[in-house]
Amino acid sequence: MELQYRLLAELESDFDHLIDAVEHLATAYADDPTPAGALGDSIGDTSWLRRALTDFWYQDGQDGRETRNYIGVIVAGPSIMEAVEAVNRVKARFAATLKRIRHSAPKLIPEIKAVLPFRHPVLHDHLRGQGLARLHLKQCWRQLPIADAPLSRIRLAWYTSGRSIKRLSVADAEARLKQMDLSASHIQIQLRKLADIPSDEPLAQIQQQAPVMRANLFFREALEDGRMRRAMNLPLPLFIPDPALKLPHLNDPPARPPKTRTRARRSDQRLEDDVFLKSLRIYRYRNPALQIALERQKQQEKP
């Protein structure tokens, strides 16, 4: 119990420092705004930036895996960039403490989401006045994007085909199905399907990821390693260090992601088209023997 209280106290302190750092950055920009641009109808002004920096909340009906985007660019001089880097340092510390809590005292998480805003009356009043429910922890710790150097142009494009693939064994899948309602006919059907395949066959669990804005950054001059460009996701405003305060050329993509897939399906697709176990979003590999061989090769190549 003593460890839980200590971790909670550390996270409360980290949250206090986060609010202070974000407020300092927002105030510094309001006092001396620099050229900025935002996607779509948004205006990259001081109120927009403050909203982007302080949006830490779940909204009604929001999926816990989703975060809200604030897509824009801001060129900044040394003082603003120092404030941005200070925010990111505090966010990293908050994330590290939260990770320790998830590992050592995961039951604290619901309490954290509900209690932390009460430490800041202004935030709590905002939370209550806007009908918002609780903290969205990922929106607290996600980093502010920073360009490596001044940019000549930025090309933005929605990436809608992202997904995570987790390797599972037949035994893993069976154990997860057995945690569901075993009296349901669809669970029994899926258990029988599992029983009909080899026990050593690898399976893949797919999680479709939310659309993200991808930014291709083109540097005004080559970096020390010779690179002239870099790609990154852009969920929050991109801060560009530039003493000249020159806004790079920015294309104008749609304000919202397309509803259908825009990239062609890969010709080397390794998974079957049809889901194998719908309740778990699990697919079979087209060539299980090849997949087993690839996994063994990876293990052999590890130092």
Side-chain angles (χ1 to χ4, degrees):
M1 186 63 69
E2 180 180 348
L3 174 63
Q4 292 186 15
Y5 286 132
R6 180 166 58 80
L7 289 173
L8 184 57
E10 286 184 27
L11 194 70
E12 289 174 344
S13 176
D14 293 342
F15 187 69
D16 292 345
H17 285 110
L18 172 59
I19 297 302
D20 291 342
V22 163
E23 181 60 31
H24 174 70
L25 172 56
T27 301
Y29 186 78
D31 290 343
D32 188 16
T34 52
L39 182 64
D41 297 330
S42 299
I43 301 174
D45 57 10
T46 55
S47 60
W48 177 85
L49 177 59
R50 185 179 293 275
R51 189 164 63 252
L53 294 173
T54 59
D55 185 1
F56 298 146
W57 322 112
Y58 279 108
Q59 291 182 345
D60 289 342
Q62 182 180 354
D63 189 322
R65 297 167 297 181
E66 294 181 357
T67 53
R68 286 182 293 281
N69 294 328
Y70 292 88
I71 301 165
V73 297
I74 298 172
V75 292
S79 60
I80 294 295
M81 291 308 303
E82 287 178 7
V84 172
E85 291 167 355
V87 169
N88 279 348
R89 284 194 298 270
V90 176
K91 283 174 171 282
R93 189 162 64 241
F94 182 94
T97 304
L98 184 62
K99 183 177 180 180
R100 291 165 57 202
I101 290 174
R102 290 190 187 279
H103 177 73
S104 303
K107 292 183 179 180
L108 281 179
I109 298 298
E111 179 180 350
I112 288 167
K113 293 177 180 179
V115 170
L116 280 185
F118 285 89
R119 298 179 59 80
H120 299 269
V122 173
L123 292 182
H124 179 240
D125 289 344
H126 169 76
L127 196 69
R128 183 175 54 192
Q130 297 295 320
L132 305 175
R134 55 203 166 99
L135 276 182
H136 191 310
L137 295 175
K138 183 175 181 179
Q139 287 183 196
C140 291
W141 57 253
R142 59 180 178 171
Q143 295 275 296
L144 298 175
I146 299 176
D148 302 82
L151 303 174
S152 60
R153 63 190 176 101
I154 303 172
R155 177 168 175 75
L156 300 175
W158 287 105
Y159 179 65
T160 60
S161 303
R163 62 181 185 175
S164 63
I165 302 178
K166 182 177 182 181
R167 165 93 180 267
L168 290 179
S169 68
V170 170
D172 292 333
E174 181 181 17
R176 296 189 182 199
L177 283 175
K178 288 183 175 179
Q179 292 176 355
M180 300 180 178
D181 183 5
L182 291 177
S183 64
S185 60
H186 68 284
I187 299 297
Q188 289 297 324
I189 291 172
Q190 291 174 89
L191 285 169
R192 288 196 293 270
K193 290 176 69 175
L194 266 181
D196 289 338
I197 67 173
S199 60
D200 62 346
E201 179 176 330
L203 300 170
Q205 186 176 48
I206 304 298
Q207 175 65 57
Q208 296 296 331
Q209 297 175 340
V212 296
M213 180 62 77
R214 291 285 286 174
N216 280 303
L217 314 182
F218 296 84
F219 300 112
R220 201 174 297 159
E221 299 179 359
L223 301 181
E224 291 183 0
D225 60 7
R227 285 184 300 152
M228 287 295 298
R229 57 183 292 183
R230 177 188 175 188
M232 64 167 60
N233 292 343
L234 212 64
L236 290 170
L238 171 69
F239 286 86
I240 306 168
D242 187 358
L245 300 180
K246 183 178 180 181
L247 195 65
H249 180 268
L250 189 69
N251 69 320
D252 188 23
R256 290 177 176 78
K259 294 183 179 180
T260 58
R261 181 187 179 100
T262 56
R263 299 181 66 188
R265 185 176 295 275
R266 289 172 53 125
S267 60
D268 61 348
Q269 177 79 11
R270 290 190 295 169
L271 299 177
E272 293 185 347
D273 293 332
D274 297 328
V275 65
F276 180 58
L277 304 176
K278 289 186 178 181
S279 296
L280 299 174
R281 304 181 311 279
I282 285 179
Y283 290 75
R284 296 179 75 182
Y285 287 92
R286 294 179 185 272
N287 189 337
L290 175 61
Q291 186 63 26
I292 292 173
L294 290 173
E295 293 292 336
R296 287 175 179 169
Q297 182 178 354
K298 287 181 182 178
Q299 292 297 326
Q300 293 172 357
E301 291 175 353
K302 286 184 179 180

